[in-house]
PDB file of all heavy atoms in Angstrom:
ATOM      1  N   ASP J   1     131.574 123.515  91.640  1.00  0.00           N
ATOM      2  CA  ASP J   1     130.526 123.912  90.674  1.00  0.00           C
ATOM      3  C   ASP J   1     129.669 125.033  91.148  1.00  0.00           C
ATOM      4  O   ASP J   1     129.214 125.894  90.369  1.00  0.00           O
ATOM      5  CB  ASP J   1     129.659 122.717  90.335  1.00  0.00           C
ATOM      6  CG  ASP J   1     130.445 121.511  89.819  1.00  0.00           C
ATOM      7  OD1 ASP J   1     131.206 121.676  88.889  1.00  0.00           O
ATOM      8  OD2 ASP J   1     130.311 120.397  90.411  1.00  0.00           O
ATOM      9  N   VAL J   2     129.398 125.071  92.435  1.00  0.00           N
ATOM     10  CA  VAL J   2     128.456 125.998  93.078  1.00  0.00           C
ATOM     11  C   VAL J   2     129.026 126.487  94.402  1.00  0.00           C
ATOM     12  O   VAL J   2     129.628 125.694  95.117  1.00  0.00           O
ATOM     13  CB  VAL J   2     127.072 125.377  93.303  1.00  0.00           C
ATOM     14  CG1 VAL J   2     126.139 126.404  93.966  1.00  0.00           C
ATOM     15  CG2 VAL J   2     126.463 124.838  92.042  1.00  0.00           C
ATOM     16  N   ILE J   3     128.842 127.765  94.684  1.00  0.00           N
ATOM     17  CA  ILE J   3     129.330 128.320  95.966  1.00  0.00           C
ATOM     18  C   ILE J   3     128.138 128.901  96.704  1.00  0.00           C
ATOM     19  O   ILE J   3     127.401 129.727  96.210  1.00  0.00           O
ATOM     20  CB  ILE J   3     130.370 129.402  95.750  1.00  0.00           C
ATOM     21  CG1 ILE J   3     131.640 128.798  95.109  1.00  0.00           C
ATOM     22  CG2 ILE J   3     130.736 130.053  97.058  1.00  0.00           C
ATOM     23  CD1 ILE J   3     132.660 129.780  94.674  1.00  0.00           C
ATOM     24  N   VAL J   4     127.986 128.438  97.930  1.00  0.00           N
ATOM     25  CA  VAL J   4     126.933 128.939  98.864  1.00  0.00           C
ATOM     26  C   VAL J   4     127.655 129.666  99.994  1.00  0.00           C
ATOM     27  O   VAL J   4     128.619 129.217 100.606  1.00  0.00           O
ATOM     28  CB  VAL J   4     126.093 127.817  99.476  1.00  0.00           C
ATOM     29  CG1 VAL J   4     125.045 128.340 100.408  1.00  0.00           C
ATOM     30  CG2 VAL J   4     125.494 126.977  98.333  1.00  0.00           C
ATOM     31  N   VAL J   5     127.219 130.920 100.277  1.00  0.00           N
ATOM     32  CA  VAL J   5     127.758 131.644 101.364  1.00  0.00           C
ATOM     33  C   VAL J   5     126.750 131.857 102.503  1.00  0.00           C
ATOM     34  O   VAL J   5     125.612 132.317 102.244  1.00  0.00           O
ATOM     35  CB  VAL J   5     128.217 133.094 100.893  1.00  0.00           C
ATOM     36  CG1 VAL J   5     128.568 134.016 102.064  1.00  0.00           C
ATOM     37  CG2 VAL J   5     129.421 132.938  99.985  1.00  0.00           C
ATOM     38  N   ALA J   6     127.135 131.471 103.711  1.00  0.00           N
ATOM     39  CA  ALA J   6     126.344 131.770 104.883  1.00  0.00           C
ATOM     40  C   ALA J   6     126.862 133.068 105.468  1.00  0.00           C
ATOM     41  O   ALA J   6     128.017 133.248 105.721  1.00  0.00           O
ATOM     42  CB  ALA J   6     126.516 130.650 105.940  1.00  0.00           C
ATOM     43  N   ALA J   7     125.911 134.046 105.609  1.00  0.00           N
ATOM     44  CA  ALA J   7     126.386 135.402 105.867  1.00  0.00           C
ATOM     45  C   ALA J   7     125.507 136.041 106.986  1.00  0.00           C
ATOM     46  O   ALA J   7     124.255 135.741 107.104  1.00  0.00           O
ATOM     47  CB  ALA J   7     126.329 136.268 104.670  1.00  0.00           C
ATOM     48  N   CYS J   8     126.093 136.927 107.741  1.00  0.00           N
ATOM     49  CA  CYS J   8     125.393 137.820 108.658  1.00  0.00           C
ATOM     50  C   CYS J   8     126.251 139.084 108.803  1.00  0.00           C
ATOM     51  O   CYS J   8     127.434 139.035 108.485  1.00  0.00           O
ATOM     52  CB  CYS J   8     125.126 137.167 109.987  1.00  0.00           C
ATOM     53  SG  CYS J   8     126.648 136.818 110.971  1.00  0.00           S
ATOM     54  N   PRO J   9     125.662 140.237 109.280  1.00  0.00           N
ATOM     55  CA  PRO J   9     126.496 141.373 109.447  1.00  0.00           C
ATOM     56  C   PRO J   9     127.606 141.200 110.440  1.00  0.00           C
ATOM     57  O   PRO J   9     127.529 140.407 111.393  1.00  0.00           O
ATOM     58  CB  PRO J   9     125.452 142.443 109.979  1.00  0.00           C
ATOM     59  CG  PRO J   9     124.154 141.910 109.529  1.00  0.00           C
ATOM     60  CD  PRO J   9     124.259 140.391 109.616  1.00  0.00           C
ATOM     61  N   PRO J  10     128.749 141.973 110.287  1.00  0.00           N
ATOM     62  CA  PRO J  10     129.876 141.805 111.162  1.00  0.00           C
ATOM     63  C   PRO J  10     129.515 142.022 112.651  1.00  0.00           C
ATOM     64  O   PRO J  10     130.121 141.367 113.550  1.00  0.00           O
ATOM     65  CB  PRO J  10     130.820 142.883 110.702  1.00  0.00           C
ATOM     66  CG  PRO J  10     130.545 142.987 109.248  1.00  0.00           C
ATOM     67  CD  PRO J  10     129.041 142.818 109.118  1.00  0.00           C
ATOM     68  N   ASP J  11     128.540 142.850 112.970  1.00  0.00           N
ATOM     69  CA  ASP J  11     128.199 143.073 114.400  1.00  0.00           C
ATOM     70  C   ASP J  11     127.571 141.798 114.966  1.00  0.00           C
ATOM     71  O   ASP J  11     127.751 141.527 116.162  1.00  0.00           O
ATOM     72  CB  ASP J  11     127.301 144.280 114.600  1.00  0.00           C
ATOM     73  CG  ASP J  11     125.984 144.131 113.854  1.00  0.00           C
ATOM     74  OD1 ASP J  11     125.903 143.356 112.873  1.00  0.00           O
ATOM     75  OD2 ASP J  11     125.023 144.872 114.192  1.00  0.00           O
ATOM     76  N   ARG J  12     126.880 141.016 114.143  1.00  0.00           N
ATOM     77  CA  ARG J  12     126.350 139.727 114.615  1.00  0.00           C
ATOM     78  C   ARG J  12     127.449 138.704 114.794  1.00  0.00           C
ATOM     79  O   ARG J  12     127.434 137.915 115.758  1.00  0.00           O
ATOM     80  CB  ARG J  12     125.309 139.197 113.653  1.00  0.00           C
ATOM     81  CG  ARG J  12     124.032 139.997 113.615  1.00  0.00           C
ATOM     82  CD  ARG J  12     123.204 139.694 114.846  1.00  0.00           C
ATOM     83  NE  ARG J  12     122.536 138.420 114.785  1.00  0.00           N
ATOM     84  CZ  ARG J  12     122.371 137.544 115.780  1.00  0.00           C
ATOM     85  NH1 ARG J  12     122.932 137.839 116.988  1.00  0.00           N
ATOM     86  NH2 ARG J  12     121.732 136.417 115.642  1.00  0.00           N
ATOM     87  N   GLN J  13     128.421 138.737 113.886  1.00  0.00           N
ATOM     88  CA  GLN J  13     129.601 137.846 114.090  1.00  0.00           C
ATOM     89  C   GLN J  13     130.287 138.171 115.415  1.00  0.00           C
ATOM     90  O   GLN J  13     130.649 137.259 116.193  1.00  0.00           O
ATOM     91  CB  GLN J  13     130.615 138.093 112.948  1.00  0.00           C
ATOM     92  CG  GLN J  13     130.209 137.557 111.612  1.00  0.00           C
ATOM     93  CD  GLN J  13     131.288 137.896 110.570  1.00  0.00           C
ATOM     94  OE1 GLN J  13     131.181 138.917 109.911  1.00  0.00           O
ATOM     95  NE2 GLN J  13     132.262 137.042 110.441  1.00  0.00           N
ATOM     96  N   LEU J  14     130.520 139.453 115.684  1.00  0.00           N
ATOM     97  CA  LEU J  14     131.129 139.891 116.926  1.00  0.00           C
ATOM     98  C   LEU J  14     130.362 139.430 118.174  1.00  0.00           C
ATOM     99  O   LEU J  14     130.910 138.911 119.122  1.00  0.00           O
ATOM    100  CB  LEU J  14     131.305 141.418 116.894  1.00  0.00           C
ATOM    101  CG  LEU J  14     132.143 142.049 117.993  1.00  0.00           C
ATOM    102  CD1 LEU J  14     133.593 141.505 117.955  1.00  0.00           C
ATOM    103  CD2 LEU J  14     132.121 143.550 117.854  1.00  0.00           C
ATOM    104  N   GLU J  15     129.060 139.616 118.088  1.00  0.00           N
ATOM    105  CA  GLU J  15     128.178 139.231 119.176  1.00  0.00           C
ATOM    106  C   GLU J  15     128.281 137.682 119.477  1.00  0.00           C
ATOM    107  O   GLU J  15     128.382 137.250 120.622  1.00  0.00           O
ATOM    108  CB  GLU J  15     126.751 139.592 118.815  1.00  0.00           C
ATOM    109  CG  GLU J  15     125.693 139.210 119.860  1.00  0.00           C
ATOM    110  CD  GLU J  15     124.303 139.461 119.340  1.00  0.00           C
ATOM    111  OE1 GLU J  15     124.075 140.502 118.670  1.00  0.00           O
ATOM    112  OE2 GLU J  15     123.384 138.655 119.639  1.00  0.00           O
ATOM    113  N   ARG J  16     128.274 136.932 118.407  1.00  0.00           N
ATOM    114  CA  ARG J  16     128.363 135.459 118.566  1.00  0.00           C
ATOM    115  C   ARG J  16     129.735 135.023 119.097  1.00  0.00           C
ATOM    116  O   ARG J  16     129.813 134.121 119.937  1.00  0.00           O
ATOM    117  CB  ARG J  16     128.139 134.777 117.224  1.00  0.00           C
ATOM    118  CG  ARG J  16     126.640 134.949 116.760  1.00  0.00           C
ATOM    119  CD  ARG J  16     126.507 134.480 115.334  1.00  0.00           C
ATOM    120  NE  ARG J  16     125.103 134.638 114.871  1.00  0.00           N
ATOM    121  CZ  ARG J  16     124.729 134.373 113.646  1.00  0.00           C
ATOM    122  NH1 ARG J  16     125.566 134.060 112.674  1.00  0.00           N
ATOM    123  NH2 ARG J  16     123.394 134.529 113.340  1.00  0.00           N
ATOM    124  N   LEU J  17     130.806 135.648 118.640  1.00  0.00           N
ATOM    125  CA  LEU J  17     132.142 135.277 119.054  1.00  0.00           C
ATOM    126  C   LEU J  17     132.370 135.672 120.527  1.00  0.00           C
ATOM    127  O   LEU J  17     132.968 134.856 121.319  1.00  0.00           O
ATOM    128  CB  LEU J  17     133.185 135.950 118.246  1.00  0.00           C
ATOM    129  CG  LEU J  17     133.315 135.364 116.785  1.00  0.00           C
ATOM    130  CD1 LEU J  17     134.245 136.214 115.963  1.00  0.00           C
ATOM    131  CD2 LEU J  17     133.818 133.914 116.868  1.00  0.00           C
ATOM    132  N   THR J  18     131.911 136.795 120.989  1.00  0.00           N
ATOM    133  CA  THR J  18     132.064 137.148 122.358  1.00  0.00           C
ATOM    134  C   THR J  18     131.188 136.269 123.311  1.00  0.00           C
ATOM    135  O   THR J  18     131.578 135.998 124.398  1.00  0.00           O
ATOM    136  CB  THR J  18     131.752 138.656 122.598  1.00  0.00           C
ATOM    137  OG1 THR J  18     130.391 138.963 122.082  1.00  0.00           O
ATOM    138  CG2 THR J  18     132.766 139.539 121.894  1.00  0.00           C
ATOM    139  N   ALA J  19     130.030 135.839 122.755  1.00  0.00           N
ATOM    140  CA  ALA J  19     129.223 134.907 123.524  1.00  0.00           C
ATOM    141  C   ALA J  19     129.906 133.565 123.713  1.00  0.00           C
ATOM    142  O   ALA J  19     129.603 132.807 124.635  1.00  0.00           O
ATOM    143  CB  ALA J  19     127.897 134.726 122.828  1.00  0.00           C
ATOM    144  N   ARG J  20     130.848 133.255 122.786  1.00  0.00           N
ATOM    145  CA  ARG J  20     131.619 131.992 122.932  1.00  0.00           C
ATOM    146  C   ARG J  20     132.787 132.128 123.912  1.00  0.00           C
ATOM    147  O   ARG J  20     133.513 131.184 124.161  1.00  0.00           O
ATOM    148  CB  ARG J  20     132.193 131.588 121.564  1.00  0.00           C
ATOM    149  CG  ARG J  20     131.121 131.220 120.513  1.00  0.00           C
ATOM    150  CD  ARG J  20     131.805 130.898 119.214  1.00  0.00           C
ATOM    151  NE  ARG J  20     130.812 130.731 118.127  1.00  0.00           N
ATOM    152  CZ  ARG J  20     131.161 130.507 116.842  1.00  0.00           C
ATOM    153  NH1 ARG J  20     132.446 130.445 116.509  1.00  0.00           N
ATOM    154  NH2 ARG J  20     130.219 130.383 115.931  1.00  0.00           N
ATOM    155  N   GLY J  21     133.008 133.364 124.406  1.00  0.00           N
ATOM    156  CA  GLY J  21     134.066 133.568 125.404  1.00  0.00           C
ATOM    157  C   GLY J  21     135.269 134.369 124.867  1.00  0.00           C
ATOM    158  O   GLY J  21     136.182 134.596 125.693  1.00  0.00           O
ATOM    159  N   LEU J  22     135.269 134.755 123.644  1.00  0.00           N
ATOM    160  CA  LEU J  22     136.403 135.541 123.172  1.00  0.00           C
ATOM    161  C   LEU J  22     136.235 136.990 123.639  1.00  0.00           C
ATOM    162  O   LEU J  22     135.131 137.473 123.787  1.00  0.00           O
ATOM    163  CB  LEU J  22     136.426 135.550 121.610  1.00  0.00           C
ATOM    164  CG  LEU J  22     136.823 134.266 120.914  1.00  0.00           C
ATOM    165  CD1 LEU J  22     136.838 134.452 119.417  1.00  0.00           C
ATOM    166  CD2 LEU J  22     138.186 133.757 121.350  1.00  0.00           C
ATOM    167  N   THR J  23     137.377 137.656 123.852  1.00  0.00           N
ATOM    168  CA  THR J  23     137.289 139.083 124.121  1.00  0.00           C
ATOM    169  C   THR J  23     136.896 139.854 122.840  1.00  0.00           C
ATOM    170  O   THR J  23     137.051 139.304 121.749  1.00  0.00           O
ATOM    171  CB  THR J  23     138.666 139.645 124.578  1.00  0.00           C
ATOM    172  OG1 THR J  23     139.599 139.519 123.559  1.00  0.00           O
ATOM    173  CG2 THR J  23     139.148 138.839 125.798  1.00  0.00           C
ATOM    174  N   ARG J  24     136.404 140.999 122.973  1.00  0.00           N
ATOM    175  CA  ARG J  24     136.019 141.780 121.814  1.00  0.00           C
ATOM    176  C   ARG J  24     137.226 141.995 120.898  1.00  0.00           C
ATOM    177  O   ARG J  24     137.095 141.881 119.669  1.00  0.00           O
ATOM    178  CB  ARG J  24     135.437 143.136 122.234  1.00  0.00           C
ATOM    179  CG  ARG J  24     134.939 143.972 121.065  1.00  0.00           C
ATOM    180  CD  ARG J  24     134.361 145.324 121.491  1.00  0.00           C
ATOM    181  NE  ARG J  24     133.904 146.065 120.336  1.00  0.00           N
ATOM    182  CZ  ARG J  24     132.688 146.003 119.877  1.00  0.00           C
ATOM    183  NH1 ARG J  24     131.776 145.196 120.497  1.00  0.00           N
ATOM    184  NH2 ARG J  24     132.312 146.725 118.832  1.00  0.00           N
ATOM    185  N   GLU J  25     138.399 142.242 121.470  1.00  0.00           N
ATOM    186  CA  GLU J  25     139.603 142.487 120.662  1.00  0.00           C
ATOM    187  C   GLU J  25     139.963 141.265 119.887  1.00  0.00           C
ATOM    188  O   GLU J  25     140.281 141.308 118.741  1.00  0.00           O
ATOM    189  CB  GLU J  25     140.773 142.887 121.592  1.00  0.00           C
ATOM    190  CG  GLU J  25     142.023 143.251 120.833  1.00  0.00           C
ATOM    191  CD  GLU J  25     143.151 143.632 121.766  1.00  0.00           C
ATOM    192  OE1 GLU J  25     143.148 143.157 122.978  1.00  0.00           O
ATOM    193  OE2 GLU J  25     144.077 144.324 121.372  1.00  0.00           O
ATOM    194  N   ASP J  26     139.935 140.057 120.555  1.00  0.00           N
ATOM    195  CA  ASP J  26     140.268 138.830 119.859  1.00  0.00           C
ATOM    196  C   ASP J  26     139.271 138.538 118.785  1.00  0.00           C
ATOM    197  O   ASP J  26     139.627 138.054 117.666  1.00  0.00           O
ATOM    198  CB  ASP J  26     140.312 137.645 120.833  1.00  0.00           C
ATOM    199  CG  ASP J  26     141.600 137.644 121.676  1.00  0.00           C
ATOM    200  OD1 ASP J  26     142.558 138.312 121.288  1.00  0.00           O
ATOM    201  OD2 ASP J  26     141.608 136.902 122.742  1.00  0.00           O
ATOM    202  N   ALA J  27     137.983 138.781 119.063  1.00  0.00           N
ATOM    203  CA  ALA J  27     136.939 138.542 118.075  1.00  0.00           C
ATOM    204  C   ALA J  27     137.113 139.414 116.839  1.00  0.00           C
ATOM    205  O   ALA J  27     137.002 138.967 115.702  1.00  0.00           O
ATOM    206  CB  ALA J  27     135.564 138.775 118.700  1.00  0.00           C
ATOM    207  N   GLU J  28     137.462 140.672 117.053  1.00  0.00           N
ATOM    208  CA  GLU J  28     137.637 141.589 115.942  1.00  0.00           C
ATOM    209  C   GLU J  28     138.829 141.196 115.110  1.00  0.00           C
ATOM    210  O   GLU J  28     138.783 141.288 113.879  1.00  0.00           O
ATOM    211  CB  GLU J  28     137.827 143.024 116.490  1.00  0.00           C
ATOM    212  CG  GLU J  28     136.551 143.637 117.079  1.00  0.00           C
ATOM    213  CD  GLU J  28     136.772 144.972 117.714  1.00  0.00           C
ATOM    214  OE1 GLU J  28     137.938 145.295 118.062  1.00  0.00           O
ATOM    215  OE2 GLU J  28     135.804 145.732 117.861  1.00  0.00           O
TER     216      GLU J  28
END
């Protein structure tokens, strides 16, 4: 019935993923 999107800019996604241990290439 309703859609909620949690969002942030892609550079923040990349920052968070690399902080989790992924390489930049894998995160991208």
Side-chain angles (χ1 to χ4, degrees):
D1 304 306
V2 179
I3 296 172
V4 179
V5 169
C8 66
D11 60 340
R12 289 287 283 140
Q13 291 178 265
L14 189 60
E15 176 185 326
R16 291 169 179 174
L17 288 172
T18 54
R20 296 178 188 176
L22 290 180
T23 66
R24 183 181 181 89
E25 182 181 26
D26 283 343
E28 288 174 340

